[in-house]
Amino acid sequence: MAEKVLMKGNEALAEAALRAGCRYFFGYPITPQTELAAYMAKRMPKVGGIYLQAESEVAAINMVYGASAAGARVMTSSSSPGVSLKGEGISYMIGADLPAVIINVQRGGPGLGGIQPSQADYWMATRAPGHGDGHVVVFAPSTVQEMSDLVASAFDLGDKYRVPVMILADGMLGQMMEPVALPEPTDVQSLPEKAWATNGHGGKRPHNIVNSLYLVAQQLEDTVVERSLRYSRIKEEEQIAEAYLTEDAEIVLVAYGAAARISRSAVAKAREMGIKAGLIRPITLWPFPVNTIDTIVPVAKAFLTVELSMGQMVEDVRLAVNGRRPVSFFGHTGGIIPTPDEVLTAIQRVASGEQLDLVPYQSKLTGGAR
Amino acid sequence: MVDHVKMPLNIMLAGFGGQGILFAGKLIAYAGMIDGHEISWLPSYGPEMRGGTANCSVSISDEAIGSPLVTEPDVFIAMNLPSYERFIDTVRPGGVVIVDETMVGACTLRSDVDYHPIPATEIAENSGLKGLANVLLVGKMLAVTGFSTEATLSVAIEKSVSAKRLDLVELNRKAIALGADIPDSDACRA
């Protein structure tokens, strides 16, 4: 294995992208992801690529559209409000079947919100990254190592299915340093050819057209249906989740990213107290790992979703559990990082038969301090 | 020097922006990594930093680290008074508190912590190590906790100092050694 180095999550995302063959980066600065763009600005010219700080997020995502249409491995990154701005371009890329990697290092919202870590963009990422009938694949790393590991997978998956892929991180993962073993560089020449790319042909083949406009309704439906069938394949084949101590778990936590790190500590503490707790950590948020939830339902007595939001992924957990078990929720907003002890208290209450939800329980849980 | 370092070791460092709080944390984190432990390093990056104070959470553990945010430090290094006042009550009872006496003052001590004031900024300036009070304090932490070794920190310094400033490597090493040798100030002993 490669020697481990100490890197920020934002830097690991950038270096892993370069090693995955990304040679085009277009972005616009925003806290807490700016180190990613800064790293790209420094390194990209040295590997013969293009780094460009666009005049806005809207411009950046349209540059990504262009580079992807020409067949390049291309990335953009931003944080929550900036990703909202990219929404139109993301929808166009979905409609034009263009792969790219889009990073969202989430901060608190809505609006300008705050700059501290948050997971409040789950709905935007998994439900409506832009208008129209479409999805992006969403990966959710929870360590700096995973920030690095998931980048190449994101590029490969995007190319395989011709879909944009989002890596949904947060300010904590972006800013923190951990040891990371970086991947070996991809041989760019060995990547599969993109026969659809508009990269010039000297009259040797018919024109390729990259477009998302279909004025004939039947043509539009044909493309949307074909894409939706691809989504079905993605849902069948690409779910990823990690299960921790779930074999005999009665109280099953579901958490991703930074919230999963805290939940894991809380589960370990609960086990020490004799509570059979476990954790499912979705690594793909879309497709949501319903299969993993399904296998764990028969053993579980109750589920507890933990998020740095007011409860978004909990809806997917409830859909997957489908009424078979109670699903509780515990969360805080951007910048308020729950302690493992707070999550442990929530586990104890769920274990004692309570069903927790946002409004009635949060004031109780914190002793009504606010 | 303690015989056995308790794991996980959760460390909070805090001071003004520019005192090298984040760098000191990085040295400790790198040393932990070289010694084969799991580590995490999390800086403050919010409005506090913009208002002039910086803090940094470092965890060293033999197991996967959950939250990288240190809320109950085993070791607290303070480089200015506002930071000292903000975090002193969060230190675990029996925890180690190391303060830069030049910046914090020597006397505001909690009775249930292991308290080590040293005039780090003053000594650094008088020893040709201006700007390295942060590293002196890491040296002091090494002496007090035995969390790593001087040899490991020497490698950590090589990895953390910019390749363009190799002249700083020797100065940093000197600062570790010097910090480890500075006795606790007795300015406040009753």
Side-chain angles (χ1 to χ4, degrees):
Chain A
M1 192 157 76
E3 194 199 349
K4 287 195 171 181
V5 290
L6 203 51
M7 280 183 123
K8 283 191 169 196
N10 284 334
E11 296 166 342
L13 285 168
E15 180 60 34
L18 295 171
R19 289 173 185 235
C22 174
R23 290 294 176 270
Y24 298 86
F25 178 91
F26 308 106
Y28 189 80
I30 182 170
T31 305
Q33 67 77 53
T34 300
E35 292 82 5
L36 198 169
Y39 192 96
M40 285 292 196
K42 207 171 175 180
R43 285 270 291 133
M44 190 63 99
K46 292 182 181 147
V47 298
I50 299 288
Y51 166 90
L52 202 150
Q53 183 176 314
E55 67 269 35
S56 71
E57 287 86 350
V58 177
I61 192 71
N62 283 289
M63 292 171 187
V64 171
Y65 181 111
S68 177
R73 284 208 152 176
V74 53
M75 177 189 262
T76 185
S77 72
S78 192
S79 178
S80 309
V83 179
S84 288
L85 285 167
K86 291 181 197 287
E88 181 199 46
I90 294 171
S91 172
Y92 277 53
M93 294 187 69
I94 292 169
D97 299 313
L98 291 175
V101 175
I102 299 154
I103 309 287
N104 183 357
V105 183
Q106 296 172 92
R107 56 188 259 179
L112 275 175
I115 60 173
Q116 299 292 331
S118 163
Q119 297 181 321
D121 299 347
Y122 182 91
W123 281 336
M124 176 165 74
T126 61
R127 294 297 189 280
H131 62 276
D133 237 348
H135 282 289
V136 296
V137 172
V138 184
F139 282 129
S142 87
T143 62
V144 174
Q145 183 65 58
E146 227 170 35
M147 297 279 254
S148 167
D149 294 345
L150 288 175
V151 173
S153 307
F155 276 112
D156 290 346
L157 206 83
D159 286 350
K160 180 177 172 189
Y161 292 101
R162 288 187 64 184
V163 292
V165 180
M166 182 175 285
I167 296 182
L168 193 66
D170 60 67
M172 178 188 275
L173 292 167
Q175 292 293 326
M176 68 185 287
M177 286 202 287
E178 277 185 319
V180 53
L182 292 160
E184 288 299 311
T186 304
D187 176 10
V188 185
Q189 306 302 324
S190 72
L191 294 172
E193 197 196 339
K194 295 173 179 172
W196 48 265
T198 53
N199 50 3
H201 55 83
K204 294 200 175 89
R205 60 160 167 75
H207 291 299
N208 282 339
I209 295 171
V210 172
N211 179 34
S212 70
L213 177 66
Y214 297 92
L215 292 175
V216 178
Q218 191 59 52
Q219 281 180 5
L220 178 61
E221 182 169 90
D222 288 348
T223 67
V224 172
V225 166
E226 185 277 323
R227 192 173 304 114
S228 296
L229 291 173
R230 255 185 287 146
Y231 291 156
S232 299
R233 258 172 57 219
I234 293 172
K235 285 187 201 169
E236 274 170 30
E237 293 170 20
E238 308 295 348
Q239 296 177 24
I240 313 173
E242 182 188 65
Y244 171 64
L245 302 180
T246 51
E247 294 80 7
D248 62 342
E250 294 174 352
I251 311 300
V252 178
L253 279 71
V254 187
Y256 71 96
R261 301 179 64 108
I262 297 151
S263 298
R264 193 182 158 104
S265 301
V267 163
K269 284 189 177 195
R271 285 274 170 176
E272 281 170 23
M273 298 170 63
I275 300 172
K276 287 184 180 172
L279 169 69
I280 297 174
R281 180 172 71 85
I283 297 171
T284 52
L285 301 179
W286 196 94
F288 192 72
V290 289
N291 296 346
T292 306
I293 303 260
D294 235 14
T295 58
I296 284 161
V297 164
V299 185
K301 286 187 176 154
F303 287 80
L304 169 64
T305 306
V306 180
E307 300 175 56
L308 307 184
S309 78
M310 291 292 97
Q312 301 190 9
M313 182 179 72
V314 65
E315 294 191 350
D316 275 336
V317 177
R318 289 193 174 122
L319 281 170
V321 171
N322 199 14
R324 289 173 287 178
R325 298 289 183 275
V327 178
S328 286
F329 171 76
F330 175 73
H332 276 299
T333 53
I336 310 291
I337 308 295
T339 62
D341 283 340
E342 274 182 283
V343 179
L344 179 63
T345 305
I347 294 173
Q348 287 173 300
R349 292 178 60 164
V350 171
S352 70
E354 278 187 76
Q355 181 163 359
L356 307 180
D357 210 333
L358 190 64
V359 179
Y361 93 90
Q362 190 147 10
S363 59
K364 286 187 217 158
L365 199 66
T366 56
R370 300 182 212 186
Chain B
M1 172 83 85
V2 291
D3 296 331
H4 178 69
V5 182
K6 180 191 83 71
M7 291 282 165
L9 189 65
N10 292 316
I11 305 142
M12 168 62 69
L13 305 99
F16 288 124
Q19 283 182 307
I21 286 294
L22 302 187
F23 181 83
K26 194 173 169 183
L27 281 186
I28 295 167
Y30 243 121
M33 183 179 96
I34 294 164
D35 286 338
H37 304 296
E38 300 286 334
I39 65 96
S40 67
W41 174 100
L42 180 74
S44 57
Y45 66 90
E48 325 163 324
M49 209 169 131
R50 284 153 206 220
T53 69
N55 71 71
C56 174
S57 295
V58 178
S59 293
I60 305 176
S61 179
D62 287 330
E63 285 165 30
I65 294 166
S67 177
L69 186 67
V70 171
T71 52
E72 199 188 354
D74 303 299
V75 179
F76 172 40
I77 296 181
M79 290 192 74
N80 70 7
L81 191 56
S83 300
Y84 176 85
E85 286 171 343
R86 180 170 163 199
F87 292 108
I88 185 63
D89 289 337
T90 67
V91 179
R92 177 179 63 76
V96 170
V97 176
I98 299 171
V99 303
D100 184 345
E101 185 191 333
T102 318
M103 308 301 291
V104 178
C107 298
T108 43
L109 50 112
R110 230 175 83 183
S111 60
D112 63 340
V113 295
D114 183 12
Y115 195 74
H116 301 274
I118 60 168
T121 295
E122 188 188 326
I123 292 179
E125 283 181 13
N126 295 338
S127 314
L129 297 170
K130 194 168 167 20
L132 290 179
N134 58 336
V135 183
L136 251 65
L137 291 163
V138 174
K140 181 68 181 177
M141 178 185 157
L142 176 68
V144 172
T145 66
F147 81 98
S148 183
T149 64
E150 216 171 298
T152 297
L153 273 162
S154 185
V155 180
I157 287 166
E158 273 175 36
K159 300 215 178 244
S160 305
V161 170
S162 160
K164 288 175 191 154
R165 294 305 309 274
L166 289 180
D167 54 312
L168 290 178
V169 170
E170 275 317 306
L171 290 176
N172 275 279
R173 284 180 179 147
K174 214 174 135 190
I176 292 285
L178 181 60
D181 281 344
I182 300 173
D184 292 354
S185 162
D186 58 4
C188 209
R189 294 268 160 77

